[in-house]
């Protein structure tokens, strides 16, 4: 909050005071500012609603202060030095307010260049040599989806990535940033938090073709789905009572190591994120399967996926895509059954009759 507002946070407060002092003309701005501040503290996305009010209130605050400080300076100038003393306090206050405004201008320029000019799907990291490395796993995975999946394919992921998948890959998603149906989101959370057979049943019920998860255990990316997983459990458990949050705490702690619960180690999210991760060594001297975000070696290794198949893993393992397996084909079994029935009901061959005749002769 203060990263975005910086010095204007103080000027906003002064602006509210200034608005109250001139209550007749600025009551709307004061109410707008108070409500915008409250709701932006509740939900950070509403910072956009606060932005206009912050600009107006900060301007009012700075204007009120400068008007009072410069009043004595103007009087001294118009009196041509006839005033008794130079208003030193007013000059110092004016310099301070002007400096704050100038510093905020520098901060805004830096924020626009560093924080707002970089798209969220492209990340940068420093190499051990000090150089910059561009991590482009999101676009890499979304391009793969666009080029290698049917146009009518349905993708299941957590809602955070819904708009990105729709925009970059032009594929249908189950939930996105505009999904208001809590039960629908809870169903996706339940699929991620359930064991593989139950998750597969939910995927087939929702007609899902691919499942996409975000994993940062290899690339030190802390904003992955394992970090968000408890919210999937909570939202899913809010609608489906069979999902209980405490079942995912090992010894009272959310963990992924060998002390994690069986429910945690066998849920779909865990198995999709850590599939084949036990083959990877993330650092010199580290045991294979060491999660760099959770700072622990995973507790479930060498397992197989029965209902899902790995379709794509990005360069830094951040985006992992799995295909939902089709139901087992029953045609061979049906053909075998039909063949057995036909063989039993078919007329005997000449060889079979001759063999039976020889057997009867020997018995006689």
């Amino acid at each position: 909050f203060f990263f975005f507002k910086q010095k204007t946070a103080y000027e906003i407060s002064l602006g509210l005071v200034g608005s109250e002092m001139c209550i007749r003309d600025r009551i709307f701005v004061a109410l707008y500012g108070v409500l915008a501040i409250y709701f932006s503290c509740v939900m950070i996305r509403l910072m956009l609603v606060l932005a206009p009010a912050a600009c107006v209130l900060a301007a009012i605050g700075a204007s009120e202060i400068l008007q009072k400080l410069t009043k004595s300076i103007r009087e001294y100038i118009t009196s041509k030095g006839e005033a008794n003393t130079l208003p030193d306090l007013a000059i110092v206050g004016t310099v301070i307010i002007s400096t704050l405004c100038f510093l905020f201008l520098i901060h805004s320029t830096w924020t626009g260049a560093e924080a707002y000019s970089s798209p969220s799907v492209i990340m940068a990291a420093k190499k051990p040599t000090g150089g910059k490395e561009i991590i482009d796993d999101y676009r890499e995975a979304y391009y793969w989806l666009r080029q290698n999946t049917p146009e009518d394919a349905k993708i299941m992921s957590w809602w955070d990535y819904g708009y990105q998948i729709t925009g970059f890959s032009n594929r249908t998603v189950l939930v996105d940033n505009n999904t208001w149906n809590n039960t629908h989101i809870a169903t996706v959370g339940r699929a991620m938090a359930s064991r593989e057979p139950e998750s597969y049943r939910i995927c087939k019920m929702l007609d899902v073709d691919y499942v996409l998860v975000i994993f940062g255990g290899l690339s030190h990316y802390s904003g992955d789905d394992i970090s968000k997983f408890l919210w999937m459990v909570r939202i899913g458990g809010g609608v489906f009572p069979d999902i209980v949050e405490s079942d995912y705490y090992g010894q009272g702690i959310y963990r992924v190591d060998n002390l994690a619960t069986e429910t945690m180690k066998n849920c779909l999210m865990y198995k999709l994120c850590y599939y084949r991760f036990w083959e990877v060594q993330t650092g010199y001297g580290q045991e294979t399967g060491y999660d760099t975000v959770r700072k622990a070696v995973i507790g479930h290794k060498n397992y197989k996926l029965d209902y899902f198949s790995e379709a794509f893993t990005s360069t830094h393992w951040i985006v992992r895509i799995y295909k939902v397996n089709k139901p087992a084909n029953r045609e061979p079994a049906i053909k075998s059954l039909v063949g057995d029935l036909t063989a039993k009901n078919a007329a005997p061959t000449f060889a079979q009759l001759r063999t039976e005749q020889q057997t009867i002769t020997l018995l006689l």
Side-chain angles (χ1 to χ4, degrees), residues 265-292:
K265 290 190 290 187
N266 288 283
C267 68
L268 182 67
M269 177 59 67
Y270 189 102
K271 297 184 76 172
L272 295 188
C273 285
Y274 290 120
Y275 181 64
R276 293 195 306 107
F277 188 60
W278 58 82
E279 303 172 357
V280 181
Q281 186 177 24
T282 56
Y284 179 76
Q286 291 285 1
E287 184 180 347
T288 56
Y290 180 79
D291 189 326
T292 60

Side-chain angles (χ1 to χ4, degrees), residues 317-331:
W317 284 50
I318 291 180
V319 184
R320 310 200 69 184
I321 302 171
Y322 292 85
K323 185 177 182 179
V324 180
N325 294 339
K326 294 182 179 180
N329 193 352
R330 298 181 181 180
E331 186 178 355

Side-chain angles (χ1 to χ4, degrees), residues 22-82:
C22 305
I23 195 72
R24 182 177 302 175
D25 298 330
R26 299 171 184 171
I27 181 64
F28 174 76
V29 177
L31 290 176
Y32 180 22
V34 171
L35 293 175
I37 290 173
Y38 171 76
F39 286 110
S40 65
C41 290
V42 173
M43 185 180 293
I44 193 63
R45 296 177 184 177
L46 296 180
M47 290 284 289
L48 293 174
V49 178
L50 176 60
C55 294
V56 173
L57 289 172
I60 292 175
S63 176
E64 291 289 338
I65 297 173
L66 289 175
Q67 186 176 3
K68 295 183 181 301
L69 291 176
T70 56
K71 182 178 180 181
S72 56
I73 298 177
R74 289 196 304 270
E75 291 177 353
Y76 180 82
I77 295 174
T78 53
S79 64
K80 298 181 180 180
E82 295 179 1

